[in-house]
Amino acid sequence: MMSMLSYINENYPNLEVRILYSTKVPSHETSPAEVLFLPRILDLFRIPRSESTKDRVELFFTGTWDGTLIGKRDAAPIQPLMSLTLPKMDIETEVPVAAWTHRIDDLALSSAVGTKAEAKSTVFYVCGPPDMTDDIVQFLKEQEGVVPEHVLCEKWW
């Protein structure tokens, strides 16, 4: 995942990048430095790119906080953990960052797919454990406008 993001940043500065990143965190007070890959992801989005790109980072944190499973379907409505902007270096634009306390769900995936026209021109790169990647790849390929050959997958074995 990190090498793919680095490659895009270095070779395609005009591409819009939207990342949905999910990981388990030990507690609600976890700092960004303690979250696997998060400092590197945030640093990549600070790299100057085209001012016209509408990059976006969405973080989905799962784990046990105060003895409660975050993102439980029968729990109270899910609220964002935080919302902040990430200034890019050397230019005036910012990258929106939102963090949620649940797994990546169908609503987040549908939003990432966008409209039928947007879906046709989008490449999806899914990386993670086999069960998660299989579910997300299947969901994406079933969405109207998504070109199945544009859904790429890397599984962590």
Side-chain angles (χ1 to χ4, degrees), residues 78-83 98-101:
I78 298 168
Q79 298 297 318
L81 176 65
M82 67 176 161
S83 184
W100 304 91
T101 56

Side-chain angles (χ1 to χ4, degrees), residues 20-132:
L20 281 64
Y21 178 68
S22 181
T23 190
K24 186 175 182 179
V25 293
S27 76
H28 193 274
E29 289 79 32
T30 301
S31 75
E34 298 174 288
V35 178
L36 183 65
F37 297 126
L38 185 56
R40 291 177 61 196
I41 290 170
L42 296 177
D43 284 346
L44 282 172
F45 280 90
R46 285 187 183 101
I47 294 173
R49 292 169 28 92
S50 169
E51 289 185 39
S52 64
T53 61
K54 297 176 183 175
D55 295 337
R56 181 172 173 82
V57 178
E58 292 186 52
L59 308 171
F60 295 84
F61 295 137
T62 62
T64 305
W65 296 334
D66 303 320
T68 313
L69 180 63
I70 302 303
K72 225 168 130 176
R73 295 210 184 262
D74 59 349
I78 298 168
Q79 298 297 318
L81 176 65
M82 67 176 161
S83 184
L84 57 110
T85 54
L86 181 66
K88 290 184 181 182
M89 296 182 293
D90 300 331
I91 57 177
E92 297 298 320
T93 60
E94 297 177 330
V95 176
V97 177
W100 304 91
T101 56
H102 61 91
R103 295 181 187 275
I104 297 172
D105 57 13
D106 293 354
L107 181 62
L109 291 172
S110 295
S111 175
V113 168
T115 66
K116 184 178 176 181
E118 290 169 332
K120 285 182 179 179
S121 63
T122 299
V123 174
F124 302 91
Y125 181 76
V126 183
C127 181
D131 289 343
M132 182 202 81

